[in-house]
Amino acid sequence: MRGQAYLLLRKGSEAAAEFEKLLDHPTLVVSNPLFALAHVGLARAYILGGDRAKARAAYQDFLTLWKDADPDIPILKEAKAEYEKLP
């Protein structure tokens, strides 16, 4: 939740730190959908910070995790569109 709040405040580095905390403990949360969504948040945080290479990698991690998901899920569609806009 803190990571999302920082994104709303456009504080990329703070948001990234919060999402990284979650992703640094995959054994605690890997079965939780928030784990996968943290990759999207992290990608968005990296974009705010201007690090497109790291954003691309975070989106790729999310898309790999959700490769078999229903393609009509809104967050998946958003993430794919954001990923495709990256240079």
Side-chain angles (χ1 to χ4, degrees), residues 11-33:
K11 294 184 175 189
S13 61
E14 291 90 341
E18 293 300 324
F19 291 118
E20 287 169 350
K21 285 180 195 176
L22 183 62
L23 295 172
D24 284 344
H25 297 88
T27 57
L28 299 176
V29 294
V30 76
S31 63
N32 187 323

Side-chain angles (χ1 to χ4, degrees), residues 13-78:
S13 61
E14 291 90 341
E18 293 300 324
F19 291 118
E20 287 169 350
K21 285 180 195 176
L22 183 62
L23 295 172
D24 284 344
H25 297 88
T27 57
L28 299 176
V29 294
V30 76
S31 63
N32 187 323
L34 293 178
F35 177 78
L37 296 176
H39 290 286
V40 176
L42 185 59
R44 291 172 175 169
Y46 286 144
I47 288 171
L48 284 175
D51 194 332
R52 300 210 183 266
K54 285 186 178 180
R56 179 173 288 285
Y59 279 122
Q60 288 171 342
D61 290 342
F62 171 74
L63 295 171
T64 298
L65 288 170
W66 278 35
K67 68 181 184 300
D68 297 324
D70 180 341
D72 292 325
I73 295 174
I75 188 66
L76 181 56
K77 290 168 89 171
E78 290 172 18

